[in-house]
Amino acid sequence: MDEESVLAEAFARVLHEQWKRHRQLSTHGFDEAVLRAIGEDAAGLAVSNLSWHLALGECVTAQSLAAQWHRAAEEIVGEVESGHLVGLVGRHEVFLPLWQFAQPAPGNRLSETVARILEVFRTGLDDLFSPDTVVLWAATPQPELEDQEPRKVLSKVSPEELEWSARVTVARLAQ
């Protein structure tokens, strides 16, 4: 089964289950155009979620990281929002890509190189800073890195090269 079929099957199954639980919906008599618009919106959301999943790569949730670090999840979320950790704030959870940590598993600290990169984004973008920007930069091939994704070359190129690539991106975004 291809990806689209798996997604459609899961969506149809859950929609059917939810529809049965919320019987009042079927007695309302929704306009067909409204139902189509909502269905199209749901499809757009699913594709958006898949795109962010690709951009994040392998990740850990804020709840899980908080338990490993013996801290409150709110602290982890605060560090993502303030630009001291890389993460994506979703509707129900915050997701943090594993590439940012010093070890393959989250361990107890952020990679020093990633800390430097985050500093570039935070200070260079100031009020325009968003954790999403760093996630997208890391997942996008960068010309300064021979068209490689920063997240894939963190341990292969010098911290200075990565920092330079971040500075170039920040300069473009700040214009």
Side-chain angles (χ1 to χ4, degrees), residues 127-147:
D127 290 341
L128 298 176
F129 173 81
S130 167
D132 304 4
T133 304
V134 182
V135 170
L136 292 173
W137 169 80
T140 304
Q142 301 298 323
E144 307 80 27
L145 301 172
E146 298 178 10
D147 289 324

Side-chain angles (χ1 to χ4, degrees), residues 56 85 120 123:
L56 280 168
L85 285 173
V120 168
T123 58

Side-chain angles (χ1 to χ4, degrees), residues 32-161:
E32 188 174 312
V34 169
L35 292 173
R36 286 190 190 286
I38 291 170
E40 290 167 0
D41 187 49
L45 181 60
V47 170
S48 175
N49 285 346
L50 284 171
S51 296
W52 278 111
H53 178 75
L54 284 174
L56 280 168
E58 192 175 352
C59 58
V60 64
T61 65
Q63 289 283 1
S64 174
L65 186 62
Q68 291 175 30
W69 285 6
H70 307 289
R71 295 173 55 195
E74 293 77 24
E75 288 180 61
I76 302 297
V77 173
E79 288 193 38
V80 169
E81 290 172 343
S82 68
H84 290 88
L85 285 173
V86 179
L88 179 64
V89 179
R91 268 198 265 164
H92 305 291
E93 183 59 272
V94 175
F95 302 93
L96 299 99
L98 291 181
W99 53 258
Q100 71 186 304
F101 299 105
Q103 303 168 7
N108 288 321
R109 62 188 175 94
L110 182 68
S111 153
E112 182 60 37
T113 301
V114 174
R116 289 171 60 175
I117 290 166
L118 283 168
E119 176 69 17
V120 168
F121 277 93
R122 273 194 323 272
T123 58
L125 294 178
D126 196 31
D127 290 341
L128 298 176
F129 173 81
S130 167
D132 304 4
T133 304
V134 182
V135 170
L136 292 173
W137 169 80
T140 304
Q142 301 298 323
E144 307 80 27
L145 301 172
E146 298 178 10
D147 289 324
Q148 298 179 85
E149 296 175 15
R151 67 182 180 178
K152 291 185 178 175
V153 296
L154 270 169
S155 62
K156 298 175 186 166
V157 301
S158 72
E160 292 77 20
E161 288 176 272

